């Protein structure tokens, strides 16, 4: 039982480069989300999705794009990486039904932008 | 002003002590309240979940919600070194889909 799988675990980018962080879940969860975690800032919501074809912005969406073409996958795209995007990124999923909001997290991607 | 405020700590207590972790919030629409535990270099894991005012107990852990004061707490009894982690509160309202987290409190239990 894989749960939520994130790749890669570590990534170093140069300013201006683009890349995609991958996230896949095998629990048939409708709700998926991306958070970034910075020291002293906790987890901040970037984008989320309540089902295939539906996405919405969270607290800090600028500089990131998402799409949800299947229930299983929810990739996060950095269009033009900036040093301010250096962070640990977590993907999370849940059933998304009222009373069943338990989030299952991936193991994270540590991203450094030079 | 952030929607959810949490003292980042760090908090260091001796083994066996009672630990109190707290969050305040400003959005009165929040209906669901959660506590997550995060060990170093790992993703957070759900520890407690409640959707009403009052107390909810699970083993050594008690979650308390006071909606009138917009204040939630997590109590850990008989704390153990294995409880050393970062604890994050999280909240959601019934109409929105997004879950908002506090900044997390780093807790260390000294043997």
């Amino acid at each position: 039982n894989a749960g939520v799988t994130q790749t890669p675990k570590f990534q170093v980018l140069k300013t201006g480069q683009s890349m995609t962080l991958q996230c896949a879940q095998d629990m048939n969860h409708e709700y998926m989300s991306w958070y970034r975690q910075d020291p002293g800032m906790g987890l901040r919501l970037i984008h989320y999705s309540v089902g295939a074809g539906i996405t919405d912005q969270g607290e800090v969406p600028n500089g990131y794009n998402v799409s949800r073409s299947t229930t299983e996958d929810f990739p996060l795209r950095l269009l033009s990486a900036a040093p301010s995007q250096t962070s640990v990124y977590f993907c999370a999923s849940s059933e998304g039904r009222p009373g069943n909001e338990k989030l299952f997290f991936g193991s994270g991607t540590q991203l450094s932008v030079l | 002003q952030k929607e959810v405020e949490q003292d980042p700590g760090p908090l260091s207590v001796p083994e066996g002590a009672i630990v109190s972790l707290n969050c305040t919030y400003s959005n009165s629409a929040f209906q669901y309240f959660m506590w997550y535990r995060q060990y170093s270099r790992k993703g957070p894991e759900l520890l407690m979940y409640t959707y009403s005012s009052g107390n909810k107990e699970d083993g050594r852990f008690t979650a308390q919600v006071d909606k009138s004061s917009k204040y939630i707490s997590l109590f850990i009894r008989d704390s153990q070194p294995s409880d050393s982690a970062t604890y994050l509160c999280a909240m959601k309202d019934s109409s929105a889909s997004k879950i908002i987290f506090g900044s997390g409190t780093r807790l260390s239990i000294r043997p």
Side-chain angles (χ1 to χ4, degrees):
Chain A
N1 49 346
V4 179
T5 303
Q6 285 184 241
T7 56
K9 291 191 183 304
F10 302 95
Q11 183 70 49
V12 179
L13 293 177
K14 294 181 180 178
T15 297
Q17 287 185 314
S18 63
M19 80 159 295
T20 299
L21 307 185
Q22 301 292 345
C23 177
Q25 51 91 10
D26 61 359
M27 297 172 282
N28 202 32
H29 284 169
E30 290 295 325
Y31 180 88
M32 296 186 74
S33 54
W34 277 101
Y35 290 87
R36 59 177 289 173
Q37 187 171 36
D38 304 292
M41 303 291 287
L43 288 165
R44 290 185 292 169
L45 182 64
I46 303 171
H47 285 286
Y48 64 98
S49 167
V50 297
I54 305 169
T55 63
D56 207 346
Q57 296 181 349
E59 302 168 272
V60 288
N62 293 340
Y64 307 94
N65 271 1
V66 292
S67 60
R68 185 93 180 272
S69 55
T70 67
T71 299
E72 295 78 20
D73 301 298
F74 191 44
L76 178 72
R77 296 183 189 83
L78 280 70
L79 306 174
S80 178
S84 61
Q85 294 178 304
T86 293
S87 188
V88 180
Y89 291 83
F90 287 100
C91 178
S93 73
S94 80
E95 291 187 17
R97 291 182 289 108
N100 227 335
E101 288 92 354
K102 177 182 177 180
L103 283 172
F104 292 81
F105 282 85
S107 56
T109 295
Q110 190 166 331
L111 176 67
S112 294
V113 183
L114 306 177
Chain B
Q1 182 190 4
K2 293 177 67 174
E3 284 189 286
V4 181
E5 299 279 359
Q6 184 175 7
D7 186 337
L11 182 63
S12 179
V13 302
E15 183 175 355
I18 297 175
V19 176
S20 172
L21 304 169
N22 311 295
C23 287
T24 59
Y25 61 96
S26 57
N27 187 348
S28 57
F30 285 143
Q31 295 290 323
Y32 303 99
F33 305 92
M34 293 150 274
W35 286 95
Y36 282 79
R37 179 174 61 194
Q38 184 179 23
Y39 290 114
S40 182
R41 303 183 194 281
K42 300 286 187 183
E45 293 178 306
L46 182 68
L47 193 60
M48 298 286 284
Y49 173 92
T50 182
Y51 57 88
S52 61
S53 285
N55 294 353
K56 180 178 181 179
E57 193 172 312
D58 184 0
R60 296 185 295 111
F61 299 90
T62 299
Q64 188 175 80
V65 175
D66 183 346
K67 289 185 179 178
S68 61
S69 302
K70 298 191 183 67
Y71 189 89
I72 70 170
S73 300
L74 177 71
F75 298 96
I76 307 174
R77 291 185 300 278
D78 187 25
S79 55
Q80 305 293 312
S82 59
D83 295 327
S84 298
T86 295
Y87 290 80
L88 301 119
C89 62
M91 307 180 188
K92 177 183 177 301
D93 72 50
S94 56
S95 59
S97 299
K98 54 187 180 182
I99 296 175
I100 304 299
F101 281 80
S103 57
T105 300
R106 199 170 72 194
L107 173 67
S108 176
I109 308 297
R110 306 188 303 269

